[in-house]
Amino acid sequence: YRLIALGDVRTQPQIWHRVSEAIYQREKEALFIIGTGDYPADGQQYQQWIDQFFAPGRNLLGHLPIWPAIGNHEKTRQAGDHPEDEKSHYFSLFELPGNERWYRVDYRYTTLLIIDSNSQMGPESEQYQWLLNELRSLRNRFTIVAFHHNPVSGGPHNKLQADGTPKEWPIDQGRRFLLPLFEMYGVDLVLNGHDHLYERSLKNGVYYVVTGGGGAPLYKI
């Protein structure tokens, strides 16, 4: 069966419209979409959700369900912050399992784990403990993990500091804390966005795909 993975739709709705129409026309048998984040340029602006995401992708989004991960442009608060401070429209526009930040979907041969890379991912965090428990639990044949910030990439967001660590803290935490879990528990595929390009890597038995070409301005590798 076929799945769609896409991310970084924001900013250029005319491009997203062309991309979504191509998927809609060519992938009639796909079952659902996995979103890797950044749907509007500013998730706190309701009209941008309409103009940059829902309206241009109307045919596709009306045809297939989407399991979205949160990008940095959704501008959600970090998990654990006061709920009344939430200004993003992300949580009102999607109806998702669990706490809606990180959640699990099982379908046929696949277990899909969605992570919020805008929230803490270290061993002391609630999210890390949730992920660890899910990876230790009974899963289907293939395990896919999806989140926004790409820990394995040659794109511009993976620039390093003088000490060799990533400049962006979500990427640093992803490399330090998540990659060892993926390798230890046999994750098959990790889907990310953030860098506006397509890139496919194999690292210690795990495939990483960066797919950030949904409509945002493209980057060079």
Side-chain angles (χ1 to χ4, degrees):
Y1 54 94
R2 300 177 70 80
L3 311 176
I4 304 298
L6 58 87
D8 297 273
V9 167
R10 65 174 180 83
T11 306
Q12 300 183 123
Q14 71 281 7
I15 303 296
W16 163 231
H17 175 70
R18 288 167 54 192
V19 170
S20 66
E21 284 296 299
I23 297 171
Y24 176 67
Q25 295 295 333
R26 300 176 188 177
E27 296 290 349
K28 293 294 187 181
E29 304 204 1
L31 298 177
F32 55 83
I33 303 165
I34 302 170
T36 58
D38 282 5
Y39 311 102
D42 184 349
Q44 296 181 0
Q45 304 298 319
Y46 179 81
Q47 195 59 43
Q48 286 193 14
W49 282 95
I50 305 302
D51 296 340
Q52 295 185 10
F53 182 58
F54 288 112
R58 178 176 180 175
N59 287 336
L60 178 64
L61 297 173
H63 176 64
L64 291 179
I66 181 171
W67 297 112
I70 302 173
N72 56 295
H73 279 268
E74 276 65 81
K75 297 188 177 180
T76 57
R77 63 180 175 84
Q78 280 200 42
D81 291 346
H82 296 294
E84 60 270 18
D85 296 335
E86 184 60 76
K87 297 180 181 178
S88 176
H89 294 279
Y90 178 87
F91 298 104
S92 64
L93 290 170
F94 294 106
E95 188 72 27
L96 302 170
N99 67 3
E100 298 191 303
R101 292 179 174 276
W102 49 84
Y103 56 91
R104 171 174 174 163
V105 177
D106 289 288
Y107 188 84
R108 294 190 182 179
Y109 303 108
T110 299
T111 293
L112 170 63
L113 302 174
I114 300 287
I115 296 174
D116 175 17
S117 57
N118 301 275
S119 295
Q120 294 298 314
M121 297 174 284
E124 302 302 318
S125 69
E126 179 186 356
Q127 179 166 217
Y128 181 95
Q129 293 302 318
W130 172 86
L131 178 62
L132 181 60
N133 289 336
E134 294 299 334
L135 290 175
R136 286 175 171 172
S137 70
L138 184 64
R139 291 175 278 137
N140 292 335
R141 171 61 185 86
F142 296 101
T143 300
I144 301 174
V145 179
F147 54 100
H148 184 63
H149 296 83
N150 44 342
V152 179
S153 172
H157 280 298
N158 269 254
K159 292 179 179 177
L160 304 178
Q161 303 185 86
D163 63 358
T165 59
K167 290 185 175 181
E168 298 187 25
W169 71 264
I171 293 175
D172 182 46
Q173 288 201 356
R175 287 190 182 181
R176 286 195 290 145
F177 304 131
L178 301 188
L179 266 61
L181 290 183
F182 299 158
E183 295 166 12
M184 183 180 299
Y185 291 100
V187 169
D188 297 287
L189 173 65
V190 177
L191 299 172
N192 303 117
H194 202 38
D195 278 322
H196 306 164
L197 46 80
Y198 174 82
E199 190 173 10
R200 180 174 176 268
S201 307
L202 175 62
K203 180 177 173 63
N204 296 335
V206 182
Y207 285 98
Y208 296 85
V209 172
V210 181
T211 173
L218 297 180
Y219 296 164
K220 294 182 179 180
I221 297 178

